[in-house]
Structure formats: structure tokens, C-alpha cells
Amino acid sequence: MGLNMVNVKLRNVTKRFEDVVAVDHVNLDVKHGEFIVLVGPSGCGKTTLLRCIAGLEVVDEGRIYFDDEDITDLPPYKRGTGMVFQNYALWPHMTVYDNIAYGLRIRKLPKREIDKRVKWALKLVKLEGLEKRYPTQLSGGQQQRVALARALVVEPKVLLLDEPLSNLDAKLRVEMREEIKKLQRQLRITTIYVTHDQEEAMTIADRMAVMNKGRILQVGKPDEVYRNPKNIFVASFLGRCTILWGKVLEVKGENVKVLYGEKTLIGRIPSKELKVDVKEKVALVVRPEDVLLEKPDTDKVNVLEGVVDWISYVGDRKDLRVKVCTDRILSTVNPDVMVKPGDSVKVYIKYEDLLVLPVKSLEELAYAKEMGLIK
């Protein structure tokens, strides 16, 4: 059985609920067979956007295209999407077989064709032998697989998944996300996946779209977005970081000299789209794995002195905070490193690892105040 592949195009898609703009003029292109993840905090509009694509919400502005077909005004059953909901939405009075066959029966397919497709889907999600069981007789992971099989059996053009793993325990969640990614690669089906879990997003996405307050703030491959965030929200939402505050002294290409307290630091602007000016206040972003306690083999490195005021042992690493000026800089080190609270240390941050971000929009300024960067 083969599934269709389509491009999905969103153009200025907007959805309001009375005075609340849940989705705010979103533009997005999802390529044939791509796995794209919408990620952001609760209430950022990612599920509403997914429901707009499925046809479960009527958009107020903008258009949605599958390839060149405008599907904005089509009812859900004519769009050719398969949806997996957060709560799985299985029929409790139906067997696994009947749950999976449900969409095919509505489409009035011949019994032999339904049987063939259901058996294909059961094999695909490794549930053969469980077709006569009811949802209450299944584990959370098995129920998840039934929901996935039900979505795939109708041969959708686009697979939509809304927080599908949030009800599973941590170990099973890791297993299932690997399974879903493997299935998606095998079927090469265009997939849009919603999660608030940054690690999950970075693990499974071909590309990810970071959302906040109804808008997409940045789209790119996980490593690109993590290493080169375009604003302080994306930087702080994806993974852990320390955000410092400084004033620009000099700009040379992507390298920027910044006054931090009484110390001069050098960092880089992570995107060609961003510009900073001399005397401008900027956010300095650094990831904990880039805050080193041993001097790296390069002269292009910032050196700061501080005192260790907090340590946490996390198995494969030690997390520590070093108090520098009035800030506490997070560092991740090897668990064997001998250091204790109260120790005076030097921390080293390579120029390339200190990201310099302008904070110009009102939204970013509000976020900077919320983060305690602006007093």
C-alpha cells in the first residue's frame, strides 16, 4: 500500500476566538514527505493551527493548500488528512480491528479491501494478534498504536499528530517517538506534529517551527535553530541557556564587542537577518555545554571569574551555577570534575559560542523584562 505525498502551504492563516488571536497570520511550507514539528509553550496556538489544517477549525483569514489545491473551505473528510489526537479518541465499545476499520467503513469500501488494509495497518504498528481486544484491555502505548493505525489506514495525504505521546511515561515516550519517526520515514508521508516538549521536537523533526502567541518565530533544522536562534524567546525555549545583558561597543561583520559589567566580551550575531548598533543594549546567550572550566585550545575565548554557588549531579554530567557579577551562569561539566560550592573558578566561553541578540520589538522587550534582564 502506498500513501500519497503532498506539499502543504499555509498563507496568512489566522484564527480568532472572540478577542483572542490564537493563530496570527501564519505562513509555512511543508515539503513532500517532510516531518515538521510545531513546538511552543501551552497556549501558543500550535494545536489550533493543526486543527485548522485538519478542517476542525474554520480559519478567519488566509488560505491552506495541499499541492496546488485550495482546501481551506473543504470539510475535514474531504481533505485527506489522518489525525492522531492527544487522548487517542478510540471508541471504547469497539475492538481494535473495528476502531482501525471505522474510517474505511464510513468511506463504504468493500469488506475485502477493508480487511486487507486493516491487516496492513496492524502489521505496520506491530499489533497483530490484538485485533479482538478492546481499548480498555490495552496499555497506553498499545492504544497509541491503534490511534496511529486508524489514521494511516485511510491512506491520508497528510498525517497530523497532536501531542500524541504526552499521556505516556518517559521511557515509553522515547520508544514511541522513535517508532513514529521510523514509520514516517518508511511511508514517506508528509507529517505535521505538535508538541510542547523541546527535546521531543529536536529528536524527531526534519524541521521545526517554534511558535509563541500565535506566531511562528523561527523555522529550521533542529541543530540550526538550537545553535542560531533569531530571538531570545527561541533561545530560551529550546534547551537550557544563560542570558546576560550587555551594551555594544563595536561591530565587525558577525563579531560584536560588548561591554558586560566592567568586562569586554566578544560574541557573534547568529543570523544575517539580525543587526545590532553601537551603544545598543543586547542579550548575550550561552548554552551550558559551552561554558567551560578548562581553557580551550584557542585564543578566541572570553574569560570570566566567579564563584560556584550551586551544584547538581545528574548521572552523566554535573550542572553548576557560577556567580559572575550579579548573574548566575549555568555550566555543564564532566561528573568527575572536582568542584564544590564556594570555589573560585574561571569560566571560558569561545567567541563563536556567545550569541549576541538584539532586543528591539515590544514583545521581546516584554519578554526580557519577564526574564529579569531589564530592571
Side-chain angles (χ1 to χ4, degrees):
M1 289 174 70
L3 301 179
N4 304 306
M5 284 201 302
V6 298
N7 289 311
V8 178
K9 288 182 281 190
L10 309 182
R11 294 293 177 264
N12 285 315
V13 172
T14 301
K15 177 64 186 173
R16 298 181 190 88
F17 296 104
E18 295 180 357
D19 296 338
V20 177
V21 183
V23 177
D24 190 356
H25 295 89
V26 164
N27 291 288
L28 182 67
D29 288 84
V30 186
K31 298 189 279 286
H32 282 290
E34 186 176 30
F35 196 125
I36 197 157
V37 176
L38 306 176
V39 63
S42 297
C44 74
K46 55 193 186 297
T47 291
T48 302
L49 183 57
L50 198 76
R51 289 173 64 83
C52 288
I53 297 166
L56 300 172
E57 301 288 354
V58 178
V59 301
D60 295 312
E61 289 176 44
R63 310 305 294 173
I64 301 169
Y65 301 89
F66 286 0
D67 286 336
D68 295 322
E69 184 189 1
D70 185 340
I71 57 110
T72 316
D73 301 319
L74 287 182
Y77 65 92
K78 286 192 175 174
R79 295 191 179 201
T81 60
M83 183 128 176
V84 179
F85 296 92
Q86 185 174 354
N87 63 357
Y88 317 141
L90 301 177
W91 300 106
H93 63 288
M94 289 186 188
T95 62
V96 166
Y97 185 101
D98 290 335
N99 263 287
I100 296 171
Y102 184 76
L104 301 174
R105 287 180 177 143
I106 282 179
R107 288 165 174 78
K108 296 186 166 54
L109 265 68
K111 193 175 177 185
R112 187 178 291 177
E113 177 66 14
I114 290 173
D115 193 55
K116 180 182 156 191
R117 285 211 206 175
V118 171
K119 282 176 178 168
W120 167 82
L122 283 163
K123 188 177 180 184
L124 193 69
V125 299
K126 301 184 177 70
L127 284 178
E128 298 139 292
L130 300 181
E131 47 267 63
K132 290 182 180 174
R133 288 197 188 177
Y134 290 88
T136 52
Q137 298 171 308
L138 302 176
S139 68
Q142 288 168 333
Q143 288 182 36
Q144 168 67 80
R145 289 168 193 269
V146 176
L148 198 53
R150 184 182 58 187
L152 291 169
V153 79
V154 296
E155 298 187 349
K157 295 174 185 174
V158 182
L159 180 61
L160 306 172
L161 301 109
D162 182 17
E163 302 257 15
L165 308 181
S166 59
N167 294 332
L168 304 178
D169 65 60
K171 187 170 181 288
L172 193 53
R173 211 157 53 226
V174 171
E175 284 175 20
M176 279 304 301
R177 74 188 182 206
E178 287 173 6
E179 286 281 324
I180 288 171
K181 182 66 181 172
K182 193 172 160 188
L183 265 180
Q184 190 270 339
R185 281 201 177 126
Q186 182 184 333
L187 300 170
R188 298 181 67 233
I189 183 171
T190 307
T191 301
I192 304 171
Y193 185 109
V194 159
T195 182
H196 64 274
D197 184 322
Q198 310 95 309
E199 185 184 317
E200 188 169 290
M202 289 195 279
T203 306
I204 60 176
D206 294 329
R207 285 189 307 143
M208 59 201 295
V210 184
M211 290 187 71
N212 192 34
K213 295 184 179 173
R215 293 193 206 132
I216 290 180
L217 301 183
Q218 188 168 349
V219 182
K221 292 179 180 176
D223 57 333
E224 287 170 9
V225 180
Y226 180 78
R227 297 309 306 180
N228 299 305
K230 290 182 181 174
N231 59 58
I232 60 171
F233 177 81
V234 173
S236 60
F237 183 76
L238 284 185
R240 302 177 307 158
C241 68
T242 301
I243 301 178
L244 310 172
W245 203 245
K247 188 184 281 187
V248 176
L249 296 174
E250 188 184 346
V251 182
K252 278 189 179 176
E254 68 168 20
N255 287 330
V256 184
K257 196 178 281 186
V258 178
L259 184 66
Y260 166 65
E262 295 177 0
K263 189 92 178 167
T264 299
L265 304 177
I266 294 175
R268 71 176 175 93
I269 303 172
S271 169
K272 288 175 182 172
E273 296 169 28
L274 302 175
K275 297 280 182 288
V276 297
D277 303 313
V278 174
K279 294 187 179 177
E280 183 182 337
K281 272 196 168 184
V282 287
L284 303 171
V285 176
V286 62
R287 302 288 184 192
E289 63 269 23
D290 297 326
V291 178
L292 311 171
L293 294 191
E294 288 185 17
K295 187 178 185 304
D297 189 20
T298 176
D299 293 331
K300 295 182 176 179
V301 65
N302 298 295
V303 186
L304 292 165
E305 294 181 8
V307 175
V308 176
D309 76 347
W310 174 86
I311 293 178
S312 174
Y313 176 72
V314 202
D316 61 344
R317 68 176 196 267
K318 261 182 195 165
D319 286 345
L320 47 111
R321 289 199 184 273
V322 179
K323 192 163 185 186
V324 177
C325 299
T326 56
D327 295 301
R328 296 164 79 233
I329 298 175
L330 181 63
S331 173
T332 292
V333 297
N334 189 298
D336 302 329
V337 171
M338 299 303 291
V339 65
K340 62 185 186 299
D343 285 356
S344 294
V345 293
K346 285 183 178 177
V347 295
Y348 301 90
I349 304 166
K350 293 179 194 172
Y351 295 170
E352 67 195 66
D353 294 332
L354 186 66
L355 306 181
V356 181
L357 293 170
V359 183
K360 290 178 176 173
S361 73
L362 291 174
E363 201 171 324
E364 284 182 319
L365 285 167
Y367 186 69
K369 280 180 181 170
E370 195 183 306
M371 296 282 292
L373 295 172
I374 304 175
K375 302 293 186 280

